[in-house]
Amino acid sequence: MSVPDPVEYTAKIGAVLDTVRRLLDSGSRADLAPLARRAVDDIVGMLEQHGDLAADLEERLDQAVALYARACAARPPEPGQLADWVLEAAFSGRAVAVADFAAALGAGGLARMKSIVDEVLRVKQPEKAEIAQRLQEEIAEASGDVDGLVAILAAKPPRVDVSLKIVRVLRAAGRHGEAIAYAARVLTPQRAGTRLRAENPRAEKPPTEKPQRAEKQQRKETPQQAEAPHKEEHSISEYRERIEQLIAQKEAGAYREAAQCLKKLRTLHKQAGTAEEFTGYVAELVNVHRRKTRLLAEIRSARIALPKG
């Protein structure tokens, strides 16, 4: 087979993906999942045969996978078959996120994935262990299994970013008391104090306030009042959500904008006195999206330090 012209092939596959995207955006009732999947498989095959085209096709592959996820959500295929495809793609080293396919997989597909991943970890297959551990975490998160996700995270080697994620998971589940208790128990005293103030800003006593008065005032507050976040926390949350939305687009321009949002997020964390949390967030972000070379390049260009190793 002759090597295709990189420009010509990239334009051809780009036209296919643009067609699928336009149809999805228009709300077409056509089942576009097979076409999107063929595009993914075609790009993967081209990358395997002609590695010299990788620089041109990696971005197209990310776009194709994202469109396949959208097409599956619009017209879900058989959950078991989709679960097998996602697992095969993940174990083949492709950048496939369980969350992107969660809606189409449903409870049945996620349960099948969990069963297979648990078995891989049980029999201890070294070549698959790292990916299986990542999938186990993603499946628990996509399934809404808070206790399972916390247990998986807690079993990891102690790191600040992991502890902070546990706090965020508990907060997102509305389990604010557990989140505060965990932060106070696991994080350093200084770090725990920062998180406690973010979770319960009124709990921090003014220097001139007597302890008895502060304690009495806290008893009068409703749980909602006690847990109202700082304005900085709200802004941080908004930026993080925006960054995830941009990355999900899997396009060079969106990656560039996400990197700029990271710079603004870094400033907000510095102003809030939570710079360490930003470092943990970046480490987690890079771990999840480590195969998105274009995204990592944009983050470096924005002069944001990436974690080593």
Side-chain angles (χ1 to χ4, degrees):
M1 179 178 177
S2 61
V3 178
D5 177 74
V7 175
E8 181 181 345
Y9 181 79
T10 303
K12 176 183 175 182
I13 200 67
V16 173
L17 298 179
D18 286 343
T19 298
V20 174
R21 182 183 295 106
R22 285 197 299 270
L23 289 171
L24 287 170
D25 290 343
S26 68
S28 172
R29 295 184 180 181
D31 186 0
L32 299 169
L35 177 59
R37 177 169 170 175
R38 280 199 299 273
V40 173
D41 294 341
D42 186 56
I43 296 172
V44 170
M46 193 62 64
L47 284 168
E48 291 175 349
Q49 295 180 39
H50 307 291
D52 55 319
L53 299 180
D56 299 289
L57 292 179
E58 282 182 355
E59 184 178 335
R60 294 297 187 187
L61 180 57
D62 284 345
Q63 294 172 5
V65 171
L67 289 172
Y68 181 44
R70 287 184 59 189
C72 287
R75 291 285 296 272
E78 198 280 318
Q81 294 179 1
L82 180 59
D84 290 344
W85 183 89
V86 173
L87 286 174
E88 180 184 359
F91 283 123
S92 296
R94 278 177 254 165
V96 177
V98 175
D100 293 343
F101 292 89
L105 285 164
L110 290 169
R112 178 177 176 80
M113 289 184 67
K114 182 179 186 302
S115 175
I116 294 173
V117 169
D118 287 349
E119 179 64 15
V120 169
L121 292 172
R122 187 186 70 79
V123 300
K124 297 180 180 179
Q125 300 180 35
E127 71 281 5
K128 294 183 176 181
E130 183 179 349
I131 294 175
Q133 289 169 356
R134 174 176 63 81
L135 288 170
Q136 185 184 51
E137 182 178 332
E138 291 186 15
I139 292 167
E141 193 164 5
S143 303
D145 181 6
V146 176
D147 290 330
L149 179 56
V150 169
I152 292 169
L153 294 170
K156 291 185 175 185
R159 290 203 324 259
V160 172
D161 60 303
V162 174
S163 296
L164 291 173
K165 184 170 183 179
I166 291 175
V167 171
R168 290 197 296 273
V169 168
L170 291 170
R171 285 179 58 196
R175 293 158 61 168
H176 301 288
E178 292 178 62
I180 294 173
Y182 182 87
R185 184 176 71 254
V186 177
L187 303 177
T188 64
Q190 179 181 0
R191 194 73 204 126
T194 301
R195 293 304 302 168
L196 284 169
R197 290 193 294 274
E199 295 286 346
N200 190 353
R202 297 191 184 196
E204 184 181 14
K205 297 176 292 184
T208 57
E209 187 174 25
K210 294 182 180 180
Q212 296 88 345
R213 181 181 175 186
E215 185 176 348
K216 182 178 179 181
Q217 178 64 26
Q218 285 181 6
R219 286 199 297 267
K220 290 181 179 180
E221 292 175 337
T222 64
Q224 292 81 2
Q225 289 174 323
E227 292 168 356
H230 281 313
K231 181 178 180 181
E232 290 83 355
E233 280 287 309
H234 183 61
S235 298
I236 287 171
S237 175
E238 287 182 339
Y239 268 104
R240 288 187 177 183
E241 183 177 353
R242 177 58 178 161
I243 289 167
E244 292 299 332
Q245 290 173 347
L246 288 166
I247 293 175
Q249 294 179 28
K250 299 184 177 180
E251 296 178 349
Y255 289 159
R256 191 172 303 111
E257 186 178 346
Q260 294 306 310
C261 285
L262 270 175
K263 290 181 67 175
K264 295 176 182 177
L265 180 62
R266 179 176 59 188
T267 299
L268 285 176
H269 273 292
K270 287 181 178 179
Q271 292 173 345
T274 56
E276 187 179 358
E277 181 175 339
F278 175 76
T279 301
Y281 172 73
V282 172
E284 180 183 328
L285 188 77
V286 170
N287 181 56
V288 171
H289 302 290
R290 59 188 178 278
R291 292 189 178 89
K292 294 182 173 62
T293 55
R294 181 65 64 85
L295 171 64
L296 300 187
E298 293 294 346
I299 293 176
R300 290 190 188 94
S301 296
R303 299 182 181 277
I304 296 173
L306 298 181
K308 297 180 180 180

